[in-house]
Amino acid sequence: MKYTLALAQMNTRLGDVPANLERHLSLVEEARAGGADLLVFPELSLTGYALQDLTASVASSPQKDDPAFGPLLEASRKLDLVVGFVDEDARHRFYIASAYLSGGEVAHVHHKVYLPTYAMFDEGRYFAWGDCVRAFDTRFGRMGMLICEDFWHMSPPYLLWLDGADTLLLQSSSPARGMTHAPFLSSMQSVDQLASTYAGMFTCFVAHANRVGFEDGMNFFGGSALYTPDGEQQISAPFMDEALVLAEVDTNQLHRSRARLPLLRDERTALMLREMQRIVDSQITAAPSR
Amino acid sequence: MPDLTINTDIVRKVLTSFVHSEITRTGFQRAVLGLSGGLDSALACFIAAEALGPQNVLAVRMPYRTSSPESLEHAQLVIEATGVQSLTVEITPMVEPLFERFPDMSPTRRGNVMARERMIILFDQSSATQSLVVGTGNKTEILLGYSTLYGDSASALNPLGDLYKTQIRQLSAAMGVPEVIISKPPSADLWIGQTDEGELGFTYEEVDKLLYLLVDERFTPQECVEAGYAEPFVRGVVERVRRNHFKRTMPVIAKLSNRTIGYDFLYLRDWGT
C-alpha cells in the first residue's frame, strides 16, 4: 500500500486556540491540495508549548461539540489528522495529548507519559502524567503516537513496537540547545539520531513533526522528518522555518526490511518480561543504595 | 581545556530570527539600541540590522564629555557599515547637575548615573519611535554582574545574553564588525583609562573558560581547581556570581495572597502572541 504522509512544521500563538485552529485548517487545505492522506501536527499544536498558568484555560476535549475539535473532526473526513492539544479529562486533570482523527471520529488519544521537569522544562508542575502506551489501527496500518520526552526514553517506542505499531508518529515542541562548533545545536542532532535509530532497530516507519518559532528566548527547531524501516531519512523539513513536507509512504518496505533484518521476528519478549520482573522485584526489596 | 568555539552560521540564524520574532510578534517593526563604539553594541547593531533591515534600526550614540573620541568614531564605523539610522544625544548636560549636587560622588556612582541616563534616552526613543530596546549585555558580564542595574542591563530583548565575551568576538568577526572594534581592549568608557579587564582583575579569555565549566558544564569549584584554575580566582568568581544574582532577578515581592506575581502567577512574556 502507498499513501501520502504530511508533516506540518508550524509556528503557534501561545495560548490562542482559535488562531492556532485557523492555522490548522489552512494547513489541512494545503496538505489536501498536495494529495496528503495523513497530516501530523507538532506537540501542543493547538495551544503553543510553554503554557504555564495558561494550561487550564486552553484545554480541549476531543469531541464533536468542542469548539476546536468540531472543525478538526469535520476536516478529518478528508484526510487523517494527528493534532496536539491539552486534554482535560472528566476529573479535570490536564494532559499533554495527541489525538488521531479519521473519518470524523477520534481513533486514539495518547497522553504524554514522560513530562520533563528539569533544566528549562517544567511540565510536571502543570500536567498530569499519562499512564498508558498503546498502538492502534488506522487505515494505513497499525501505529503509535509519542510526544517528545516520551521518545527520549526507550521503553515507549519499544512497547509500541511490541504492540504492533509499524509506524511511530512522534510529535515535538523541541527547543534548540547545545551550542558548539558544529553547524547545528546539539538537540537538533539528538532527535534525528533517536528517530533514525528507532526506525532502524524496530524496522518501522518513524514520522517526526517538530514545531518552529520562538516563545520568549526558546527556539523550536523544526527539522521534521520521515524515516524508513531501514533507518534512512526519506524526507526532511528545514531547520527553523515553517514548512509543510509531503512524502509517499510505501508500506511494502516493511516486508522488504523485515525479510532482510528479522529483528521483530527474533525479539524475545518473554525473556525481556522475565528479566524485567526480576529487576523490578529486586529493586522493590533492596534498600536505597548510598 | 574547555572549547568555547561556536558555529557562527547557526548562532547568527538563531539570533537574527529571535530579534525579528520578538519585535514583530507584538506589532512592532523597529529596534533602538545604544551604540557605544564597543564590541557588544556593535554586534547587537549588526544583528538587529540583519533581522529587521537597517532602516528599522535606530542606533543612539550617547557620549559624555570624557568619553573617548575613538568610541564615537568606532560607533560611526558601525553606523556606516550597517546603514542603520542614527542619533547622537550628549548626556553631559543631563548628568552634570546631579554630579554638581553631590560633588563627592564616587566614579562608580557617576558611572551608574551615566548608564541610567542612557537607559532613559533609549526607552524614551523606544516610545517616540515605536520601537523596542535591544540589549547588548553578554553572558560573561551578566554572570559577573558587571553592569548597572536598570542602566545598561535594561532592555526589552537581549540577543547576546547567552554568549560569552570570547564567543561575541567570534560572531562579530563572522558578521563583519570592523576589526578595530573587535581587537581593542573592552571598556565601559565611564572614566578615562577604564578597561573591563583592568577593573575585573582577569581576562575574558580566562574567566569565560572558568564560567563555562562552572555554569555550562556544572563543575564544582573544587573540580575547577583540580582542572588547573587557581583557587583564589575560582573562589572569587563563584562569589561574584552569587553576590550579583540580584541583578538577574525581578524585584522580590513579599508573598501575602494565594496568588503572587513571580511565585504562582506564571506566564511567558510572549503570552498570546
Side-chain angles (χ1 to χ4, degrees):
Chain A
M1 179 179 45
K2 290 181 180 173
Y3 72 97
T4 302
L5 180 143
L7 302 168
Q9 183 166 296
M10 63 182 284
N11 195 353
T12 58
R13 285 175 76 95
L14 184 59
D16 189 343
V17 175
N20 294 323
L21 173 63
E22 199 176 313
R23 183 81 184 117
H24 279 65
L25 296 175
S26 75
L27 283 161
V28 165
E29 288 310 315
E30 205 181 317
R32 190 168 167 247
D37 301 299
L38 166 59
L39 172 60
V40 184
F41 289 95
E43 175 183 16
L44 291 175
S45 56
L46 273 176
T47 61
Y49 174 69
L51 293 163
Q52 299 183 309
D53 284 1
L54 292 167
T55 299
S57 63
V58 298
S60 305
S61 293
Q63 295 165 355
K64 289 181 178 129
D65 59 358
D66 181 273
F69 274 94
L72 288 167
L73 282 164
E74 196 51 42
S76 77
R77 295 181 190 282
K78 303 167 191 164
L79 73 173
D80 291 10
L81 300 175
V82 176
V83 177
F85 68 109
V86 174
D87 192 10
E88 180 173 359
D89 75 5
R91 305 200 59 198
H92 310 291
R93 289 170 292 200
F94 303 99
Y95 298 89
I96 296 176
S98 299
Y100 190 104
L101 314 180
S102 181
E105 303 293 331
V106 178
H108 189 76
V109 172
H110 171 68
H111 290 161
K112 191 173 187 176
V113 294
Y114 283 102
L115 301 178
T117 306
Y118 57 83
M120 64 189 294
F121 303 106
D122 206 13
E123 294 178 14
R125 177 183 168 91
Y126 302 99
F127 292 102
W129 294 65
D131 203 26
C132 189
V133 175
R134 299 275 163 84
F136 57 96
D137 292 314
T138 77
R139 60 197 179 104
F140 310 112
R142 197 161 168 83
M143 299 190 178
M145 299 188 290
L146 295 172
I147 307 172
C148 208
E149 191 85 353
D150 286 345
F151 61 85
W152 284 76
H153 291 256
M154 282 191 292
S155 46
Y158 179 73
L159 288 171
L160 288 177
W161 183 50
L162 296 186
D163 202 20
D166 286 330
T167 303
L168 302 182
L169 303 172
L170 311 181
Q171 299 175 279
S172 297
S173 284
S174 190
R177 57 203 183 277
M179 175 176 54
T180 66
H181 51 77
F184 39 74
L185 300 187
S186 52
S187 59
M188 296 173 167
Q189 189 185 34
S190 304
V191 172
D192 176 59
Q193 286 174 339
L194 286 174
S196 75
T197 301
Y198 291 138
M201 287 175 62
F202 299 146
T203 51
C204 69
F205 289 99
V206 175
H208 175 227
N210 186 25
R211 62 164 287 194
V212 293
F214 285 80
E215 288 179 1
D216 285 9
M218 279 187 290
N219 156 34
F220 303 99
F221 62 80
S224 305
L226 173 69
Y227 302 83
T228 71
D230 291 333
E232 302 292 330
Q233 195 183 80
Q234 181 178 332
I235 194 167
S236 66
F239 286 125
M240 293 185 59
D241 294 320
E242 281 199 303
L244 178 71
V245 293
L246 290 86
E248 186 183 74
V249 178
D250 175 5
T251 59
N252 292 343
Q253 185 61 43
L254 293 163
H255 167 86
R256 295 188 288 270
S257 297
R258 289 176 186 172
R260 173 183 66 82
L261 188 63
L263 296 177
L264 177 63
R265 183 197 71 189
D266 296 346
E267 180 63 15
R268 298 186 60 187
T269 50
L271 179 153
M272 213 285 301
L273 185 61
R274 194 168 64 243
E275 292 303 315
M276 275 293 289
Q277 195 60 58
R278 177 186 62 76
I279 292 162
V280 169
D281 290 347
S282 70
Q283 284 175 347
I284 289 168
T285 53
S289 57
R290 293 281 174 203
Chain B
M1 277 303 239
D3 180 9
L4 272 67
T5 311
I6 57 171
N7 181 286
T8 52
D9 290 344
I10 184 72
V11 172
R12 180 179 189 160
K13 165 96 172 153
V14 171
L15 296 185
T16 51
S17 303
F18 166 74
V19 168
H20 186 268
S21 169
E22 293 311 296
I23 287 184
T24 58
R25 72 190 306 150
T26 42
F28 291 90
Q29 299 294 326
R30 289 193 282 270
V32 58
L33 54 86
L35 195 61
S36 67
L39 184 57
D40 296 339
S41 62
L43 178 58
C45 190
F46 271 77
I47 290 170
E50 186 163 305
L52 303 165
Q55 72 282 5
N56 289 319
V57 178
L58 175 62
V60 188
R61 299 189 299 181
M62 295 169 285
Y64 177 63
R65 63 176 173 77
T66 65
S67 297
S68 144
E70 198 181 60
S71 296
L72 216 54
E73 289 160 19
H74 290 169
Q76 186 60 33
L77 288 179
V78 173
I79 291 163
E80 285 165 11
T82 55
V84 298
Q85 308 289 306
S86 67
L87 182 66
T88 302
V89 183
E90 286 262 1
I91 63 166
T92 312
M94 301 162 193
V95 298
E96 288 288 333
L98 195 60
F99 296 167
E100 285 160 17
R101 173 70 180 76
F102 299 102
D104 57 348
M105 217 184 245
S106 67
T108 301
R109 283 177 65 191
R110 291 164 71 102
N112 284 338
V113 168
M114 288 153 61
R116 292 187 180 120
E117 182 56 47
R118 290 175 174 132
M119 177 276 294
I120 289 172
I121 292 165
L122 290 177
F123 276 83
D124 177 56
Q125 285 301 313
S126 155
S127 175
T129 62
Q130 289 296 293
S131 56
L132 293 183
V133 176
V134 170
T136 63
N138 63 60
K139 190 171 186 174
T140 312
E141 72 179 29
I142 294 172
L143 285 169
L144 296 176
Y146 191 60
S147 65
T148 297
L149 185 61
Y150 308 124
D152 55 315
S153 72
S155 66
L157 62 149
N158 180 356
L160 305 185
D162 206 16
L163 289 172
Y164 289 109
K165 185 74 174 187
T166 43
Q167 295 170 327
I168 295 271
R169 288 180 183 141
Q170 292 175 54
L171 184 58
S172 298
M175 290 193 71
V177 174
E179 173 57 29
V180 65
I181 299 173
I182 298 173
S183 57
K184 71 177 175 179
S187 168
D189 197 17
L190 292 170
W191 54 86
I192 292 165
Q194 183 189 24
T195 65
D196 293 5
E197 293 178 345
E199 205 176 355
L200 289 166
F202 41 72
T203 67
Y204 280 118
E205 196 81 31
E206 293 166 325
V207 79
D208 281 359
K209 287 177 177 161
L210 176 59
L211 287 170
Y212 178 81
L213 290 183
L214 285 166
V215 176
D216 295 68
E217 295 293 333
R218 299 171 191 263
F219 274 42
T220 64
Q222 186 56 36
E223 286 172 327
C224 292
V225 173
E226 285 160 14
Y229 294 86
E231 184 155 8
F233 176 48
V234 174
R235 299 283 164 209
V237 166
V238 168
E239 177 57 13
R240 203 179 160 122
V241 171
R242 185 198 67 76
R243 209 176 57 229
N244 282 293
H245 192 63
F246 72 96
K247 293 187 184 179
R248 295 185 290 267
T249 65
M250 294 292 278
V252 182
I253 291 174
K255 186 160 178 67
L256 293 169
S257 70
N258 280 330
R259 197 147 184 233
T260 308
I261 295 153
Y263 295 92
D264 32 37
F265 179 83
L266 299 176
Y267 300 88
L268 290 196
R269 195 172 72 175
D270 287 346
W271 177 5
T273 69

Coordinates of all heavy atoms in Angstrom, one line a residue, chain A residues 227-281:
Chain A
Y227 N 11.4 8.7 8.4 CA 12.4 7.7 8.4 C 11.8 6.4 7.9 O 10.7 6.0 8.3 CB 13.1 7.5 9.7 CG 13.7 8.8 10.3 CD1 12.9 9.7 10.9 CD2 15.0 9.1 10.1 CE1 13.4 10.9 11.4 CE2 15.6 10.4 10.5 CZ 14.7 11.3 11.2 OH 15.2 12.4 11.6
T228 N 12.6 5.7 7.1 CA 12.1 4.4 6.6 C 12.5 3.2 7.5 O 13.3 3.4 8.4 CB 12.7 4.1 5.2 OG1 14.1 3.8 5.4 CG2 12.6 5.3 4.3
P229 N 11.9 2.0 7.3 CA 12.3 0.9 8.2 C 13.7 0.4 8.0 O 14.2 -0.4 8.8 CB 11.3 -0.2 7.6 CG 10.2 0.5 7.1 CD 10.8 1.7 6.4
D230 N 14.5 1.0 7.1 CA 15.9 0.8 7.1 C 16.7 1.8 7.9 O 17.9 1.9 7.9 CB 16.4 0.8 5.6 CG 15.9 -0.4 4.9 OD1 15.6 -1.4 5.5 OD2 15.7 -0.3 3.6
G231 N 16.0 2.7 8.6 CA 16.6 3.8 9.4 C 17.1 5.0 8.6 O 17.8 5.8 9.1
E232 N 16.7 5.0 7.3 CA 17.1 6.1 6.5 C 16.1 7.3 6.5 O 14.9 7.0 6.6 CB 17.2 5.7 5.0 CG 18.2 4.5 4.7 CD 19.6 4.9 5.0 OE1 19.9 6.1 4.7 OE2 20.4 4.0 5.4
Q233 N 16.7 8.5 6.5 CA 15.8 9.6 6.4 C 15.2 9.8 5.0 O 16.0 9.9 4.1 CB 16.5 10.9 6.8 CG 15.6 12.1 7.2 CD 16.4 13.3 7.5 OE1 16.9 14.0 6.6 NE2 16.5 13.6 8.8
Q234 N 13.9 9.7 4.8 CA 13.4 9.7 3.5 C 13.2 11.2 3.0 O 13.4 11.5 1.9 CB 12.0 9.0 3.4 CG 11.4 8.9 2.1 CD 10.1 8.1 2.0 OE1 9.9 7.2 2.8 NE2 9.2 8.5 1.2
I235 N 12.7 12.0 4.0 CA 12.4 13.4 3.6 C 12.6 14.2 4.9 O 12.3 13.7 6.0 CB 11.0 13.6 3.0 CG1 10.9 15.0 2.3 CG2 9.9 13.4 4.0 CD1 9.7 15.1 1.4
S236 N 13.0 15.5 4.8 CA 13.1 16.3 6.0 C 12.7 17.7 5.6 O 12.9 18.2 4.5 CB 14.5 16.2 6.6 OG 15.4 16.8 5.7
A237 N 12.2 18.4 6.6 CA 11.9 19.9 6.5 C 13.2 20.6 7.0 O 14.0 20.1 7.7 CB 10.7 20.2 7.4
P238 N 13.3 21.9 6.6 CA 14.4 22.7 7.0 C 14.4 22.9 8.5 O 13.4 22.8 9.2 CB 14.3 24.0 6.3 CG 12.8 24.1 5.9 CD 12.4 22.7 5.7
F239 N 15.5 23.3 9.1 CA 15.6 23.7 10.5 C 15.0 25.2 10.6 O 15.3 26.0 9.7 CB 17.0 23.7 11.0 CG 17.5 22.3 11.3 CD1 18.7 21.9 10.7 CD2 16.9 21.5 12.2 CE1 19.2 20.6 11.0 CE2 17.3 20.2 12.4 CZ 18.5 19.8 11.8
M240 N 14.2 25.4 11.5 CA 13.8 26.7 12.0 C 12.8 27.5 11.1 O 12.4 28.6 11.5 CB 15.0 27.6 12.2 CG 15.9 27.2 13.3 SD 17.3 28.3 13.7 CE 16.4 29.8 14.0
D241 N 12.4 27.0 10.0 CA 11.5 27.7 9.1 C 10.2 26.9 9.0 O 10.2 25.6 9.0 CB 12.0 28.0 7.7 CG 13.2 28.9 7.8 OD1 13.1 29.9 8.5 OD2 14.2 28.7 7.0
E242 N 9.1 27.6 8.9 CA 7.8 26.8 8.7 C 7.8 26.1 7.4 O 8.4 26.5 6.4 CB 6.6 27.8 8.7 CG 6.2 28.3 10.1 CD 4.8 28.9 10.1 OE1 4.6 29.8 9.3 OE2 4.0 28.4 10.9
A243 N 7.2 24.9 7.4 CA 7.2 24.1 6.2 C 6.1 23.0 6.3 O 5.7 22.6 7.4 CB 8.6 23.4 6.0
L244 N 5.6 22.7 5.1 CA 4.7 21.5 5.0 C 5.4 20.5 4.1 O 5.6 20.9 2.9 CB 3.4 22.0 4.5 CG 2.3 20.9 4.3 CD1 1.8 20.3 5.6 CD2 1.2 21.3 3.4
V245 N 5.8 19.4 4.6 CA 6.5 18.4 3.7 C 5.6 17.2 3.5 O 4.9 16.8 4.4 CB 7.9 18.0 4.3 CG1 8.9 19.2 4.2 CG2 7.8 17.4 5.6
L246 N 5.6 16.7 2.3 CA 4.8 15.5 2.0 C 5.7 14.4 1.4 O 6.7 14.7 0.8 CB 3.8 15.9 0.9 CG 2.6 16.8 1.3 CD1 3.0 18.2 1.2 CD2 1.4 16.5 0.5
A247 N 5.4 13.2 1.8 CA 6.2 12.1 1.3 C 5.3 10.9 1.1 O 4.3 10.7 1.8 CB 7.3 11.7 2.4
E248 N 5.7 10.1 0.0 CA 4.9 8.9 -0.2 C 5.5 7.8 0.7 O 6.7 7.5 0.7 CB 5.0 8.5 -1.7 CG 4.1 7.3 -2.0 CD 4.3 6.9 -3.5 OE1 5.3 6.3 -3.8 OE2 3.4 7.2 -4.3
V249 N 4.6 7.2 1.4 CA 5.0 6.0 2.2 C 4.6 4.7 1.5 O 3.4 4.5 1.2 CB 4.3 6.1 3.6 CG1 4.7 4.9 4.5 CG2 4.6 7.4 4.3
D250 N 5.6 3.9 1.3 CA 5.4 2.6 0.7 C 5.4 1.5 1.8 O 6.5 1.1 2.2 CB 6.5 2.4 -0.4 CG 6.4 1.0 -1.0 OD1 5.4 0.3 -0.7 OD2 7.3 0.7 -1.8
T251 N 4.2 1.1 2.3 CA 4.2 0.2 3.4 C 4.8 -1.2 3.0 O 5.2 -1.9 3.9 CB 2.8 0.0 4.0 OG1 2.0 -0.5 2.9 CG2 2.3 1.3 4.5
N252 N 5.0 -1.5 1.7 CA 5.6 -2.7 1.4 C 7.1 -2.8 1.8 O 7.7 -3.8 1.8 CB 5.5 -3.0 -0.2 CG 4.1 -3.2 -0.6 OD1 3.3 -3.6 0.3 ND2 3.8 -3.1 -1.9
Q253 N 7.6 -1.6 2.1 CA 9.0 -1.5 2.6 C 9.2 -2.3 3.9 O 10.3 -2.9 4.1 CB 9.4 0.0 2.8 CG 10.9 0.1 3.2 CD 11.8 -0.4 2.1 OE1 11.6 -0.1 0.9 NE2 12.9 -1.1 2.5
L254 N 8.1 -2.4 4.7 CA 8.2 -3.2 5.9 C 8.5 -4.7 5.5 O 9.3 -5.3 6.2 CB 6.8 -3.2 6.6 CG 6.5 -1.8 7.2 CD1 5.0 -1.8 7.5 CD2 7.3 -1.5 8.5
H255 N 7.9 -5.2 4.5 CA 8.1 -6.6 4.0 C 9.6 -6.7 3.6 O 10.2 -7.7 4.1 CB 7.2 -6.8 2.8 CG 7.5 -8.0 2.1 ND1 7.1 -9.3 2.4 CD2 8.3 -8.2 0.9 CE1 7.5 -10.2 1.5 NE2 8.3 -9.5 0.6
R256 N 10.1 -5.8 2.9 CA 11.5 -5.9 2.4 C 12.5 -5.8 3.5 O 13.4 -6.6 3.7 CB 11.7 -4.9 1.3 CG 10.9 -5.1 0.1 CD 11.3 -4.1 -1.1 NE 10.9 -2.7 -0.8 CZ 9.8 -2.2 -1.2 NH1 8.9 -2.9 -1.9 NH2 9.5 -0.9 -1.0
S257 N 12.3 -4.8 4.4 CA 13.2 -4.6 5.5 C 13.2 -5.8 6.5 O 14.3 -6.2 6.9 CB 12.8 -3.3 6.3 OG 12.9 -2.2 5.4
R258 N 12.1 -6.3 6.8 CA 12.0 -7.4 7.8 C 12.4 -8.7 7.2 O 12.8 -9.6 8.0 CB 10.6 -7.4 8.4 CG 10.4 -6.2 9.3 CD 9.1 -6.1 9.9 NE 8.9 -4.8 10.6 CZ 7.8 -4.3 11.2 NH1 6.7 -5.0 11.1 NH2 7.8 -3.2 11.8
A259 N 12.3 -8.9 5.9 CA 12.9 -10.0 5.2 C 14.4 -10.0 5.4 O 15.1 -11.0 5.6 CB 12.5 -10.1 3.8
R260 N 15.0 -8.8 5.2 CA 16.4 -8.6 5.3 C 16.9 -8.7 6.7 O 18.0 -9.3 7.0 CB 16.8 -7.3 4.7 CG 18.2 -6.9 4.9 CD 18.5 -5.4 4.3 NE 17.8 -4.4 5.1 CZ 18.3 -3.9 6.2 NH1 19.4 -4.3 6.7 NH2 17.6 -2.9 6.9
L261 N 16.2 -8.1 7.7 CA 16.6 -8.0 9.0 C 15.5 -8.3 10.0 O 14.7 -7.4 10.4 CB 17.1 -6.5 9.2 CG 17.8 -6.1 10.5 CD1 19.1 -6.9 10.7 CD2 18.0 -4.6 10.6
P262 N 15.4 -9.6 10.4 CA 14.2 -10.0 11.1 C 14.3 -9.8 12.6 O 14.2 -10.7 13.5 CB 14.2 -11.5 10.8 CG 15.6 -11.9 10.6 CD 16.3 -10.7 10.0
L263 N 14.6 -8.5 13.0 CA 14.7 -8.2 14.4 C 13.4 -8.4 15.2 O 13.4 -8.8 16.3 CB 15.2 -6.7 14.6 CG 16.6 -6.4 14.0 CD1 16.9 -4.9 14.1 CD2 17.6 -7.2 14.7
L264 N 12.3 -8.0 14.5 CA 11.0 -8.2 15.2 C 10.7 -9.7 15.4 O 10.3 -10.1 16.5 CB 9.9 -7.6 14.3 CG 8.5 -7.8 14.8 CD1 8.3 -7.1 16.2 CD2 7.4 -7.2 13.8
R265 N 11.0 -10.5 14.4 CA 10.8 -12.0 14.5 C 11.5 -12.5 15.7 O 11.0 -13.4 16.4 CB 11.2 -12.6 13.2 CG 11.0 -14.1 13.2 CD 11.8 -14.8 12.1 NE 13.2 -14.8 12.4 CZ 14.2 -15.2 11.6 NH1 13.9 -15.5 10.3 NH2 15.4 -15.2 11.9
D266 N 12.8 -12.1 15.9 CA 13.7 -12.7 16.8 C 13.6 -12.0 18.2 O 14.3 -12.4 19.1 CB 15.1 -12.6 16.3 CG 15.3 -13.4 15.1 OD1 14.4 -14.2 14.8 OD2 16.3 -13.2 14.4
E267 N 12.8 -11.0 18.4 CA 12.7 -10.3 19.6 C 12.1 -11.2 20.7 O 11.1 -11.9 20.5 CB 11.8 -9.0 19.5 CG 11.6 -8.3 20.8 CD 13.0 -7.7 21.3 OE1 13.9 -7.6 20.5 OE2 13.0 -7.3 22.5
R268 N 12.8 -11.3 21.9 CA 12.5 -12.3 22.9 C 11.7 -11.6 24.0 O 12.3 -11.3 25.0 CB 13.7 -13.0 23.4 CG 14.4 -13.8 22.2 CD 15.5 -14.6 22.6 NE 15.1 -15.7 23.6 CZ 16.0 -16.4 24.2 NH1 17.3 -16.3 24.0 NH2 15.5 -17.3 25.1
T269 N 10.4 -11.4 23.8 CA 9.6 -10.7 24.7 C 9.5 -11.4 26.1 O 9.4 -10.7 27.1 CB 8.2 -10.4 24.1 OG1 7.7 -11.6 23.6 CG2 8.3 -9.4 23.0
A270 N 9.3 -12.7 26.0 CA 9.2 -13.4 27.3 C 10.4 -13.3 28.1 O 10.4 -13.1 29.4 CB 8.8 -14.9 27.0
L271 N 11.6 -13.4 27.5 CA 12.9 -13.2 28.2 C 12.9 -11.8 28.8 O 13.2 -11.6 30.0 CB 14.0 -13.5 27.3 CG 15.4 -13.3 27.8 CD1 16.4 -14.1 27.0 CD2 15.9 -11.8 27.8
M272 N 12.5 -10.9 28.0 CA 12.5 -9.4 28.4 C 11.6 -9.3 29.7 O 12.0 -8.7 30.7 CB 12.1 -8.6 27.3 CG 12.6 -7.2 27.2 SD 12.0 -6.1 28.3 CE 10.3 -6.1 28.0
L273 N 10.4 -9.8 29.6 CA 9.5 -9.7 30.7 C 10.0 -10.4 31.9 O 9.9 -9.8 33.0 CB 8.1 -10.3 30.2 CG 7.0 -10.1 31.2 CD1 6.7 -8.6 31.4 CD2 5.7 -10.8 30.7
R274 N 10.6 -11.6 31.8 CA 11.1 -12.3 32.9 C 12.2 -11.5 33.6 O 12.2 -11.3 34.8 CB 11.6 -13.7 32.4 CG 11.8 -14.7 33.5 CD 12.1 -16.1 32.9 NE 13.3 -16.1 32.1 CZ 13.3 -16.4 30.8 NH1 12.1 -16.6 30.1 NH2 14.4 -16.5 30.1
E275 N 13.1 -11.0 32.8 CA 14.2 -10.3 33.4 C 13.7 -8.9 34.0 O 14.2 -8.5 35.1 CB 15.3 -10.0 32.4 CG 16.0 -11.3 31.9 CD 16.6 -12.1 33.1 OE1 17.3 -11.4 34.0 OE2 16.5 -13.3 33.2
M276 N 12.8 -8.3 33.3 CA 12.2 -7.1 33.9 C 11.6 -7.3 35.2 O 11.8 -6.5 36.2 CB 11.1 -6.5 32.9 CG 11.7 -5.7 31.8 SD 12.4 -4.1 32.4 CE 10.9 -3.3 32.9
Q277 N 10.8 -8.4 35.3 CA 10.2 -8.7 36.6 C 11.2 -9.0 37.7 O 11.0 -8.5 38.8 CB 9.3 -10.0 36.4 CG 8.3 -10.2 37.5 CD 7.3 -9.0 37.6 OE1 6.6 -8.7 36.6 NE2 7.3 -8.4 38.7
R278 N 12.2 -9.7 37.3 CA 13.3 -9.9 38.3 C 13.9 -8.6 38.8 O 14.1 -8.4 40.0 CB 14.4 -10.8 37.7 CG 15.6 -11.1 38.6 CD 16.7 -11.9 37.9 NE 17.3 -11.1 36.8 CZ 18.1 -10.1 36.9 NH1 18.5 -9.7 38.1 NH2 18.6 -9.5 35.8
I279 N 14.2 -7.7 37.8 CA 14.8 -6.4 38.2 C 13.9 -5.6 39.0 O 14.3 -5.0 40.1 CB 15.2 -5.7 36.9 CG1 16.4 -6.4 36.2 CG2 15.7 -4.2 37.2 CD1 16.6 -6.1 34.7
V280 N 12.7 -5.5 38.6 CA 11.7 -4.7 39.4 C 11.5 -5.3 40.8 O 11.6 -4.6 41.8 CB 10.3 -4.7 38.7 CG1 9.3 -4.1 39.6 CG2 10.5 -3.9 37.4
D281 N 11.4 -6.6 40.9 CA 11.3 -7.3 42.3 C 12.5 -7.0 43.1 O 12.4 -6.7 44.3 CB 11.1 -8.8 42.1 CG 9.8 -9.1 41.5 OD1 8.9 -8.2 41.5 OD2 9.6 -10.3 41.1

